[in-house]
């Protein structure tokens, strides 16, 4: 087996020959700049002055008392510019694209958070931007579609397949193969061919590094658990990575069970999937016995994906990471819970992590601590949650 | 000897170009696929590619994507395509290749897949999402069963051509242009430079594919290499005529055959 970009057996570079040289070019550019002090200083300045980093670590006292177990801290990635952790990765990759001389940026988006972050950075750097989005997601995330358009991006709805995130990635890959000379494909999660899983993780690992330092200042110790939602898995990988060597820290991932991991209407990849090769990587995928990728479902557009990043597949395989499936209903309850308990409306994706924390924290001791990665804010999800609860808002028709 | 090698040896002796049509297995039903294969050969096809429908065909343009959707809606299963190949092998020795995505091999079970290829009479596979560096995924097992894994080169391959072409078996699939499958009215690629570089390194015949829409283009492209692959233009006829496609597809293939023979 080729060992480039592997996490155990997972990872690799399974892309058409047409894009192989572009993948190698990106690999070389990333290797050159990842430890370059000028590049890192420029990125740090954008993180601080533009994105608003470091993001706060907030002690959720009411939630802690309510759950009666571990002390809960919340890493507020929702307070970043553009409203989620996605900006961390986008700023890193767009600085790289600029150095590579690319003028056109393409991206896929599920919930629209990565699309909005990409459109934002493209506006900032004066680059042409096209975002592929499943037609189904265009429908359920219309607010983010309009935000991207406001920022000057072209949003292209994708009608093929299940018209969700995986189909948006398919179409972005086709565009990339067609316009390979001038186009940079800005992948939004820790997935795809090497070097994307590693590069996106590296641009997101600041979440865990900051959280570790911030908790050390507050509590003088490591957390006992960190908890994040997992679709492709970028915010989770960003939160987990710095804690992997700290064996005492539990790494908790919440994947989307949709209507239930035992039903067909699910996106619980690690719970129900098996090894496959798709979207440039060997990883775990929901698929049938002949290797057809399964149509998946979650209320959350950002977690509605039939695969998972290869490093998560490895963490699950070795047992270093623990992954649990959270249903739509549990996520919506957690969405409402955090809103009322702490006055923080979480993204429906992040609400999956909150739901998992509500299950695990009460089983922990009061002298233990847990950090929840609140990857995004929930403004975009208000209409959809209202609809889920049978409340019709005027704006919705 | 693998039927692909035998066929190219015969073509070389005859001084003829290979005509390689592509159809999606199960498009308009597997019984139509069966009749089509026989018609393709009767109309002058030398090798035949059977596309295995996949849920997410990232290297395909709209025409073959839609064929994939139709075939899957018809309930096409890989195991049934193997059964079809077995039936065809009672009637024809035309080289048959499966064009499919890596997960249709890996997710199906690599060992079982190649065992069934050998047992049914499939001669080669073309896997568009498996680049040279990852071919170890199937190469050992494919070799063990005597099945050729066809390598692809693209206009963006540049310095990779030597490595890929030098190691190719059966024939080398030369992708005419960047992008996905589908007919093109014109090409941006500098073909004399592209094929000049390929010919320096390759030890096997070369066939060109992606975007070839009709006899005139086929004739022009054949001048650079040993054969042409025609996919979307054939699949369009299947889409248009459905189960009645046998005759129009036959006529189209005949017109390509005439054009290729004129090229000599």
């Amino acid at each position: 087996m080729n060992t480039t970009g592997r996490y155990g057996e997972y990872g690799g570079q399974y892309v058409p020959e047409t894009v192989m040289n572009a993948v190698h070019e990106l690999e070389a550019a990333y290797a050159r700049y990842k430890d370059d002090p000028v590049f890192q200083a420029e990125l740090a300045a954008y993180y601080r002055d533009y994105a608003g980093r470091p993001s706060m670590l907030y002690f959720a006292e009411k939630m802690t008392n309510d759950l009666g177990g571990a002390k809960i801290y919340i890493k507020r990635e929702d307070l970043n510019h553009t409203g989620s952790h996605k900006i961390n990765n986008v700023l890193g990759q767009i600085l790289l694209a600029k150095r590579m001389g690319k003028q056109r940026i393409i991206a896929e988006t599920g919930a629209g958070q990565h699309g909005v972050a990409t459109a934002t950075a493209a506006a900032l750097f004066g680059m042409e931007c096209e975002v592929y989005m499943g037609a189904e997601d265009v429908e359920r995330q219309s607010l983010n579609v309009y935000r991207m358009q406001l920022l000057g991006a072209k949003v292209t709805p994708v009608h093929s397949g299940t018209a969700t995130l995986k189909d948006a990635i398919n179409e972005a890959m086709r565009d990339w193969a067609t316009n390979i000379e001038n186009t940079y494909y800005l992948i939004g999660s820790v997935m795809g061919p090497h070097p994307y899983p590693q590069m996106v993780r590296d641009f997101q690992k600041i979440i865990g590094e900051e959280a570790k330092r911030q908790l050390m200042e507050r509590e003088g110790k490591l957390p006992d658990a960190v908890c994040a939602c997992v679709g492709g898995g970028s915010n989770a990988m960003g939160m987990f990575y710095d804690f992997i060597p700290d064996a005492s820290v539990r790494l908790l991932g919440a994947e989307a069970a949709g209507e239930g991991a035992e039903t067909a209407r699910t996106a619980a990849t690690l719970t129900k999937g098996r090894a496959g090769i798709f979207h440039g990587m060997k990883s775990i995928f929901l698929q049938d016995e002949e290797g057809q990728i399964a149509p998946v479902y979650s209320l959350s557009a950002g977690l509605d994906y039939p695969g998972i990043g290869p490093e998560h597949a490895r963490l699950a395989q070795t047992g270093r990471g623990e992954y649990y499936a959270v249903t739509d209903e549990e996520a919506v309850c957690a969405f409402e819970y955090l809103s009322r308990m702490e006055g923080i409306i979480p993204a429906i994706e992040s609400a999956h992590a909150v739901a998992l924390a509500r299950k695990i924290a009460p089983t922990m001791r009061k002298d233990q601590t847990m950090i929840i990665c609140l990857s995004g804010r929930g403004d975009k999800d208000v209409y959809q949650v209202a609809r889920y609860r049978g409340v019709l808002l005027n704006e919705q028709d | 000897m693998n039927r692909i090698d035998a066929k190219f040896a015969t073509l070389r002796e005859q001084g003829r170009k290979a005509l390689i049509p592509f159809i999606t297995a199960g498009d308009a039903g597997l019984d139509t696929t069966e009749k089509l294969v026989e018609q393709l050969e009767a109309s002058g096809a030398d090798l035949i590619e059977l596309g295995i429908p996949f849920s997410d065909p990232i290297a395909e343009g709209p025409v073959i994507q839609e064929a994939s959707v139709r075939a899957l809606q018809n309930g096409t299963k890989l195991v049934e395509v193997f059964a079809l190949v077995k039936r065809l092998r009672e009637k024809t020795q035309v080289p048959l290749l499966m064009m499919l995505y890596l997960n249709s091999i890996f997710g199906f079970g690599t060992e079982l897949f190649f065992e069934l290829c050998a047992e049914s009479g499939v001669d080669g596979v073309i896997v568009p999402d498996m680049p040279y560096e990852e071919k170890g995924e199937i190469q050992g097992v494919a070799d063990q069963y005597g099945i050729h894994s066809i390598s692809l080169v693209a206009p963006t391959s540049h310095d990779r051509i030597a490595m890929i072409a030098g190691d190719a078996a059966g024939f080398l699939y030369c992708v005419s242009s960047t992008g996905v499958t589908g007919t093109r009215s014109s090409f941006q690629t500098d073909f004399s430079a592209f094929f000049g570089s390929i010919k320096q390194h390759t030890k096997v015949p070369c066939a060109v594919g992606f975007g070839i829409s009709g006899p005139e283009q086929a004739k022009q492209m054949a001048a650079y290499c040993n054969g042409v692959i025609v996919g979307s233009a054939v699949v369009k006829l299947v889409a248009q005529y459905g189960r009645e496609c046998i005759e129009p597809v036959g006529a189209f293939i005949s017109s390509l055959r005439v054009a290729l023979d004129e090229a000599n």
Side-chain angles (χ1 to χ4, degrees):
Chain A
M1 187 172 65
N2 178 24
T3 54
T4 306
R6 293 280 171 176
Y7 308 90
E9 75 199 84
Y10 303 117
Q13 292 178 312
Y14 301 89
V15 291
E17 174 57 25
T18 301
V19 301
M20 269 310 270
N21 260 328
V23 165
H24 286 159
E25 186 195 348
L26 176 62
E27 221 180 315
Y30 182 59
R32 178 174 162 198
Y33 291 112
K34 77 185 180 75
D35 300 314
D36 174 48
V38 178
F39 179 87
Q40 289 300 335
E42 192 179 353
L43 181 58
Y46 279 106
Y47 277 173
R48 185 189 63 230
D49 303 335
Y50 191 71
R53 300 207 72 87
S55 68
M56 282 176 260
L57 186 72
Y58 165 73
F59 172 46
E61 192 173 0
K62 270 183 79 196
M63 185 173 170
T64 299
N65 292 338
D66 181 65
L67 295 179
K71 281 179 86 171
I72 306 279
Y73 283 86
I74 297 177
K75 182 63 173 161
R76 300 292 306 275
E77 292 297 308
D78 60 315
L79 295 180
N80 295 338
H81 180 43
T82 73
S84 81
H85 72 293
K86 294 291 187 187
I87 194 76
N88 304 333
N89 166 50
V90 165
L91 286 171
Q93 285 200 55
I94 208 149
L95 286 175
L96 193 62
K98 199 178 82 171
R99 280 166 170 74
M100 292 171 72
K102 304 287 183 184
Q103 299 96 33
R104 179 170 177 266
I105 302 291
I106 57 168
E108 81 291 340
T109 198
Q113 294 301 87
H114 175 58
V116 167
T118 304
T120 298
L124 178 66
F125 287 92
M127 288 173 165
E128 185 189 339
C129 179
E130 182 163 358
V131 178
Y132 290 94
M133 189 169 185
E136 176 84 10
D137 295 336
V138 166
E139 172 71 21
R140 49 183 174 176
Q141 297 288 350
S142 56
L143 183 67
N144 272 342
V145 172
Y146 192 66
R147 285 169 80 196
M148 287 184 267
Q149 288 164 342
L150 267 178
L151 291 157
K154 180 182 175 196
V155 180
T156 303
V158 177
H159 296 275
S160 57
T162 50
T164 59
L165 180 55
K166 93 176 158 69
D167 309 285
I169 296 169
N170 293 345
E171 209 53 38
M173 285 186 159
R174 292 180 187 120
D175 179 314
W176 196 30
T178 306
N179 303 297
I180 196 84
E181 294 296 334
N182 73 339
T183 296
Y184 183 96
Y185 181 15
L186 209 162
I187 293 184
S189 194
V190 286
M191 50 147 298
H194 176 73
Y196 285 104
Q198 182 198 338
M199 179 170 67
V200 176
R201 174 202 73 202
D202 287 349
F203 288 136
Q204 293 291 1
K205 69 182 180 185
I206 191 165
I207 300 173
E209 290 169 349
E210 282 179 6
K212 187 188 261 187
R213 195 176 61 240
Q214 289 166 324
L215 194 78
M216 198 59 81
E217 283 163 13
R218 302 282 279 275
E219 298 279 341
K221 59 176 187 179
L222 288 170
D224 296 282
V226 294
C227 180
C229 65
V230 185
S234 70
N235 89 84
M237 215 50 243
M239 178 52 108
F240 292 176
Y241 189 64
D242 203 43
F243 292 107
I244 292 174
D246 302 316
S248 65
V249 182
R250 289 174 73 184
L251 310 178
L252 306 173
E255 59 178 10
E259 294 179 2
E262 69 290 351
T263 72
R265 305 250 307 154
T266 186
T269 305
L270 288 171
T271 308
K272 301 293 285 183
R274 62 186 176 91
I277 298 172
F278 182 52
H279 280 164
M281 59 185 172
K282 183 181 283 185
S283 190
I284 305 295
F285 296 95
L286 289 162
Q287 56 187 314
D288 74 8
E289 70 283 358
E290 292 208 333
Q292 303 287 353
I293 303 303
V296 293
Y297 166 79
S298 163
L299 177 72
S300 149
L303 305 181
D304 197 353
Y305 181 67
I308 188 164
E311 197 165 7
H312 283 296
R314 180 64 178 166
L315 289 174
Q317 187 182 42
T318 60
R320 180 67 189 91
E322 303 166 50
Y323 297 84
Y324 302 91
V326 170
T327 63
D328 283 355
E329 177 64 24
E330 290 168 324
V332 169
C333 289
F335 180 93
E336 294 162 340
Y337 176 85
L338 196 69
S339 301
R340 286 173 200 170
M341 188 61 66
E342 295 288 349
I344 298 171
I345 303 175
I348 191 68
E349 289 77 22
S350 321
H352 286 70
V354 175
L356 180 59
R358 291 177 74 192
K359 290 188 206 172
I360 306 271
T363 70
M364 296 169 67
R365 296 191 315 268
K366 287 187 176 187
D367 62 337
Q368 293 185 306
T369 59
M370 175 192 280
I371 304 176
I372 301 169
C373 185
L374 204 76
S375 57
R377 68 178 182 222
D379 312 45
K380 68 183 177 59
D381 300 307
V382 170
Y383 292 159
Q384 210 195 355
V385 169
R387 194 181 307 161
Y388 182 88
R389 286 298 187 216
V391 178
L392 276 184
L393 305 180
N394 286 340
E395 294 85 341
Q396 266 185 273
D397 294 322
Chain B
M1 193 186 205
N2 187 297
R3 291 183 194 88
I4 299 168
D5 301 323
K7 174 63 79 172
F8 274 104
T10 307
L11 289 167
R12 192 172 55 239
E13 282 164 23
Q14 296 171 340
R16 297 174 82 205
K17 305 287 187 184
L19 173 56
I20 312 173
F22 166 102
I23 52 173
T24 298
D27 189 7
L30 278 171
D31 51 339
T32 303
T33 306
E34 184 168 356
K35 288 180 204 149
L36 265 178
V37 169
E38 293 179 82
Q39 185 63 55
L40 292 169
E41 189 186 16
S43 302
D46 298 301
L47 300 87
I48 295 167
E49 282 183 25
L50 291 175
I52 302 303
F54 184 52
S55 53
D56 298 85
I58 59 152
E60 314 298 346
V63 171
I64 297 178
Q65 280 181 49
E66 286 159 19
S68 221
V69 170
R70 288 193 298 271
L72 290 173
Q73 280 171 349
N74 291 337
T76 308
K77 297 281 183 200
L78 187 50
V79 286
E80 292 166 5
V81 182
F82 281 123
L84 165 69
V85 171
K86 210 168 181 174
R87 286 200 300 281
L88 283 164
R89 277 288 169 249
E90 292 165 11
K91 298 181 266 190
T92 172
Q93 292 305 308
V94 68
L96 293 170
L97 296 102
M98 283 185 172
M99 184 152 184
L100 74 180
Y101 288 81
L102 191 47
N103 208 46
S104 297
I105 299 176
F106 182 82
F108 180 81
T110 305
E111 184 77 32
L112 176 63
F113 175 87
F114 284 105
E115 191 186 322
L116 290 175
C117 281
E119 188 196 300
S120 62
V122 173
D123 305 295
V125 294
I126 305 168
V127 188
D129 59 344
M130 185 185 70
Y132 180 86
E133 285 80 349
E134 303 288 5
K135 68 179 187 165
E137 201 63 63
I138 65 167
Q139 192 74 57
V141 188
D143 288 348
Q144 188 191 323
Y145 286 97
I147 312 297
H148 282 324
S149 170
I150 303 300
S151 301
L152 296 96
V153 290
T156 51
S157 296
H158 307 299
D159 54 338
R160 298 169 50 78
I161 290 175
M163 171 180 84
I164 298 167
D167 225 6
F171 67 91
L172 185 63
Y173 192 126
C174 306
V175 177
S176 70
S177 40
T178 58
V180 292
T181 56
T183 54
R184 291 147 168 78
S185 53
S186 65
F187 294 96
Q188 306 294 319
T189 308
D190 177 350
F191 288 117
S192 29
F194 181 41
F195 284 100
S197 173
I198 290 167
K199 278 177 186 158
Q200 275 178 29
H201 301 287
T202 189
K203 303 179 187 88
V204 295
C206 301
V208 63
F210 275 43
I212 296 163
S213 56
E216 205 44 47
Q217 263 184 348
K219 191 171 164 179
Q220 285 164 15
M221 302 293 284
Y224 295 101
C225 57
N226 310 98
V228 296
I229 300 156
V230 183
S232 293
V234 179
V235 173
K236 269 184 194 168
L237 292 171
V238 181
Q240 187 181 346
Y241 294 98
R243 303 176 68 84
E244 309 303 316
C245 68
I246 312 297
E247 204 176 307
V249 168
F252 180 62
I253 297 299
S254 297
S255 72
L256 293 170
R257 182 76 264 169
V258 169
L260 285 186
D261 289 344
E262 280 171 9
N264 293 332

